[in-house]
Amino acid sequence: MRSDARRNYDQILSAAEAEIARHGADASLEEIARRAGVGSATLHRHFPSRQALLEAVFHDRVEVLCARAGELAGHPEPGDALADWLRAVAVYGATTRGLARSLLDGGRDPAPPAGSSCEVMLVDAGSGLLRQAHDAGAVRPEVSIVDLLTLVNAVSLATEGSPGAATEATRLVDLALDGVRPRG
Amino acid sequence: MRSDARRNYDQILSAAEAEIARHGADASLEEIARRAGVGSATLHRHFPSRQALLEAVFHDRVEVLCARAGELAGHPEPGDALADWLRAVAVYGATTRGLARSLLDGGRDPAPPAGSSCEVMLVDAGSGLLRQAHDAGAVRPEVSIVDLLTLVNAVSLATEGSPGAATEATRLVDLALDGVRPRG
DNA sequence: CCACGAAATGGAGGGACACCCCACTTATGG
DNA sequence: CCATAAGTGGGGTGTCCCTCCATTTCGTGG
């Protein structure tokens, strides 16, 4: 990759990060190009679709979440480890504008870039935690990782943008984990 | 209201219904006006914002849901009645393109039209069912109707458009009601 | 050091959209 | 029947996404 191309790529990415933080997943691509100091054609060559740009912007953050799943893998209480991780995913999604929406669309679309999408990364990272939780009998056997991530992402989506989004998202995830009906 | 105005209003509404069913909440307002056989200015006068149009389109359907809540009010098992209703709301949202999105945005926005929005209608309708369920001890006391509708709407949003959306939505609502953790 | 080919660029332009203005049409009550 | 106010829609503006292509820039082999 030529050095000027790399420089432009990075500038676009950081402009996109700022703009998406301000306006969410629907941020104007032209405005991003403008702020990055490049022409719109350059943006479109580096990122052929809006989804591609979103994935690139959120890739680092999602990687952090995946790393957290790795740390939690050895936790003595697999059920708590899974719950902690799901809460973390929900909070990230609820507080990072556009992420939840991007994950939702990314999971729906024909998923052009094969297995490297953010959604796939999260599924892979969560699968291990869920397996351990299953083995420990801490999670109903019929629950899949896709179920859990769908639910958590839905919560992120629904709470994103509200004041106290993180608190709200955590509450709702806990509610789904424990159930609406009282125990006992 | 003059008779021709009323006629145009109705034509816009039915065109919007068809177009939103085809393209979701992002349907083109110009296309709706075109299919209704009116100018775009007419559409914008009758419905000052996209949200206003969506609310009008979904008003009837939401009313049906509210009526269903009324029917379920006298059910001998308040917990089951609430669960039935929440499932119905989730299925409606998941199978009616654009509804969930509309409810989400409607609940977030400054809500211009005071208390007549679809979101408020559902909150009102659900409050009675939840109170009865609370009294019967079938629902945790700290759970509010807004929590439940947010969760259910989130599920609708996340499953909308997928094949078998209704089944998927029902599954996830049941999961949230019973909890991810097994009962003991 | 330089010239050259490939890589990269960005501005212009096409097509679509939301929204607004304003000259014109039409329903309706007296 | 007609005056008037309500209602209309075509066209204009500004924005957006995306593509084409003439031009510039990089990096390398002589």
Side-chain angles (χ1 to χ4, degrees):
Chain A
M1 198 177 201
R2 246 167 64 171
S3 65
D4 55 344
R6 163 117 246 125
R7 179 162 8 106
N8 280 336
Y9 182 95
D10 292 341
Q11 280 169 350
I12 292 171
L13 216 51
S14 85
E17 197 170 344
E19 208 58 17
I20 289 171
R22 290 169 62 80
H23 298 106
D26 297 326
S28 158
L29 300 183
E30 283 200 336
E31 181 66 18
I32 290 172
R34 221 171 291 136
R35 302 225 177 203
V38 303
S40 60
T42 300
L43 185 150
H44 281 94
R45 188 163 334 95
H46 282 299
F47 305 97
S49 69
R50 176 182 295 274
Q51 187 62 29
L53 179 58
L54 290 172
E55 298 260 346
V57 166
F58 294 132
H59 187 269
D60 290 357
R61 306 198 183 232
V62 170
E63 241 174 11
V64 171
L65 281 176
C66 293
R68 178 135 184 73
E71 293 168 19
L72 286 165
H75 196 282
E77 293 287 347
D80 293 346
L82 179 65
D84 277 357
W85 188 68
L86 291 175
R87 273 189 285 265
V89 174
V91 169
Y92 256 66
T95 55
T96 307
R97 291 207 61 178
L99 209 185
R101 177 78 176 284
S102 164
L103 286 174
L104 184 63
D105 293 349
R108 232 204 264 322
D109 281 359
S116 75
S117 77
C118 290
E119 216 244 341
V120 172
M121 288 170 64
L122 286 176
V123 168
D124 288 347
S127 291
L129 287 177
L130 178 59
R131 192 178 325 113
Q132 295 182 358
H134 268 156
D135 291 347
V139 170
R140 297 172 185 273
E142 73 272 21
V143 173
S144 75
I145 185 63
V146 174
D147 285 343
L148 291 178
L149 285 175
T150 302
L151 209 46
V152 164
N153 190 49
V155 167
S156 297
L157 207 52
T159 56
E160 171 182 317
S162 66
T167 312
E168 188 72 4
T170 304
R171 273 189 61 236
L172 289 177
V173 168
D174 283 338
L175 185 56
L177 291 177
D178 285 333
V180 169
R181 304 191 172 93
R183 303 244 162 197
Chain B
M1 195 178 204
R2 248 168 62 171
S3 65
D4 55 344
R6 162 117 246 126
R7 184 177 36 238
N8 280 335
Y9 182 95
D10 292 340
Q11 280 169 349
I12 291 171
L13 217 51
S14 84
E17 196 169 344
E19 207 59 16
I20 289 170
R22 291 168 61 80
H23 298 104
D26 297 326
S28 158
L29 300 183
E30 285 200 334
E31 179 67 19
I32 290 173
R34 221 171 291 138
R35 302 227 176 200
V38 304
S40 60
T42 300
L43 185 149
H44 280 93
R45 188 163 338 92
H46 283 297
F47 305 97
S49 69
R50 176 183 295 274
Q51 186 62 29
L53 178 58
L54 291 172
E55 298 259 346
V57 166
F58 294 133
H59 187 269
D60 289 357
R61 305 197 184 232
V62 170
E63 243 175 11
V64 171
L65 281 176
C66 293
R68 179 135 183 72
E71 294 168 19
L72 285 166
H75 196 281
E77 293 287 350
D80 294 346
L82 179 65
D84 277 355
W85 187 68
L86 290 175
R87 274 189 285 264
V89 174
V91 169
Y92 256 67
T95 55
T96 306
R97 293 207 59 178
L99 210 186
R101 177 79 175 283
S102 163
L103 286 175
L104 184 63
D105 294 348
R108 230 204 265 323
D109 281 357
S116 74
S117 78
C118 290
E119 217 243 340
V120 173
M121 290 170 62
L122 287 176
V123 168
D124 288 347
S127 292
L129 287 177
L130 178 60
R131 191 178 326 113
Q132 294 183 358
H134 268 155
D135 291 347
V139 170
R140 296 171 185 275
E142 73 272 21
V143 172
S144 76
I145 185 62
V146 173
D147 285 344
L148 291 177
L149 284 175
T150 302
L151 210 46
V152 165
N153 190 48
V155 167
S156 297
L157 207 51
T159 56
E160 171 182 316
S162 65
T167 312
E168 187 73 355
T170 305
R171 272 189 61 235
L172 289 177
V173 168
D174 283 338
L175 185 56
L177 291 177
D178 285 333
V180 169
R181 304 193 173 93
R183 302 248 162 193

